[in-house]
């Protein structure tokens, strides 16, 4: 005896309706958007990332934000070398880590009504950045599309623990509005070795 098509459609409709009527609505919006990319976000930490981001910005004629990038003087030189002016590129040095790259900018992106961002970072960093950014930006209805930058022999594979840990930090930030890592570091210092 089969379940039947009518009950299946009814249950499916209820589940879909609940997803769009709850806190999951922004994530669904981000996942389903058909908006072309409106901005490029480069996660700093490597001049190659900035170079690729600047070239993309010039080719696609999109505004660019570099979060936590190279020093301002070198970044300005790169901008001039790629033929971009200060009105096309924003340098933002507030972030201290991957979570901060997104939390320091996401409300501004939402305020600008950005729905789709190209995310430029190294290929070894991209999976974690997409997890963290997918949660933080997704909570504001913003879709991320990753653009990997080759890191060749400099690549360092990130552990699943680091990816999941930062993903949980991002989720905690969405729920509480705070990064809980400093609190956890004080409470369980043995879990966070000092460099």
């Amino acid at each position: 005896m089969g379940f039947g098509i009518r009950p299946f459609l009814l249950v499916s409709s209820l589940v879909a309706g609940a997803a769009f009527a709850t806190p999951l609505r922004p994530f669904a919006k981000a996942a389903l958007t058909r908006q072309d990319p409106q901005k490029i976000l480069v996660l700093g930490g490597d001049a190659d990332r900035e170079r690729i981001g600047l070239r993309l910005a010039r080719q696609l004629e999109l505004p660019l934000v570099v979060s936590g990038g190279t020093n301002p003087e070198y970044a300005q030189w790169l901008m001039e070398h790629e033929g971009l002016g200060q009105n096309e590129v924003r340098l933002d040095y507030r972030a201290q880590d991957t979570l901060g790259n997104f939390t320091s900018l996401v409300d501004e992106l939402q305020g600008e009504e950005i729905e789709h961002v190209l995310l430029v970072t190294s290929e070894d960093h991209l999976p974690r950045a997409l997890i963290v950014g997918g949660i933080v930006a997704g909570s504001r209805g913003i879709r991320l599309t990753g653009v990997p930058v080759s890191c060749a022999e400099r690549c360092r594979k990130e552990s699943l623990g680091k990816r999941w840990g930062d993903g949980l930090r991002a989720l905690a930030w969405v729920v509480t509005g705070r990064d809980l890592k400093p609190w956890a570091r004080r409470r369980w210092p043995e879990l966070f070795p000092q460099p």
Side-chain angles (χ1 to χ4, degrees), residues 25-37:
R25 182 179 289 156
F27 294 100
K29 176 186 173 204
L32 299 174
T33 187
R34 293 179 161 286
Q35 175 67 50
D36 287 334

Side-chain angles (χ1 to χ4, degrees), residues 1-178:
M1 181 148 79
F3 184 62
I5 192 72
R6 280 187 163 170
F8 173 76
L9 290 175
L10 178 63
V11 170
S12 297
S13 297
L14 289 172
V15 169
F20 285 98
T22 65
L24 297 178
R25 182 179 289 156
F27 294 100
K29 176 186 173 204
L32 299 174
T33 187
R34 293 179 161 286
Q35 175 67 50
D36 287 334
Q38 299 161 283
K39 190 166 272 209
I40 299 171
L41 171 60
V42 174
L43 303 188
D46 186 285
D48 287 342
R49 298 177 190 178
E50 291 180 44
R51 223 175 273 109
I52 297 297
L54 287 162
R55 286 183 192 143
L56 270 175
R58 184 174 36 80
Q59 291 168 355
L60 300 175
E61 298 179 354
L62 290 174
L64 171 77
V65 177
V66 178
S67 178
T70 58
N71 68 63
E73 295 79 16
Y74 185 70
Q76 294 291 336
W77 179 84
L78 280 175
M79 287 167 36
E80 290 170 14
H81 186 262
E82 287 299 326
L84 293 170
Q86 290 183 355
N87 59 335
E88 299 163 290
V89 180
R90 178 172 161 219
L91 303 174
D92 188 295
Y93 294 99
R94 293 176 289 175
Q96 300 296 313
D97 59 15
T98 302
L99 179 64
N101 288 135
F102 297 103
T103 60
S104 63
L105 293 167
V106 72
D107 290 330
E108 294 168 18
L109 294 173
Q110 183 183 31
E112 296 171 21
E113 299 182 4
I114 300 294
E115 295 179 26
H116 190 180
V117 173
L118 292 178
L119 177 64
V120 178
T121 191
S122 301
E123 62 188 328
D124 57 345
H125 182 237
L126 188 59
R128 181 165 56 96
L130 285 172
I131 290 169
V132 173
I135 293 169
V136 174
S139 74
R140 303 303 196 268
I142 301 169
R143 174 182 170 194
L144 299 176
T145 298
V147 178
V149 175
S150 175
C151 52
E153 69 278 349
R154 295 172 304 173
C155 284
R156 284 181 273 138
K157 184 174 171 118
E158 295 184 335
S159 70
L160 284 176
K162 186 162 182 71
R163 291 179 192 175
W164 284 102
D166 272 8
L168 290 172
R169 281 177 65 204
L171 186 59
W173 183 86
V174 168
V175 171
T176 67
R178 299 182 57 166

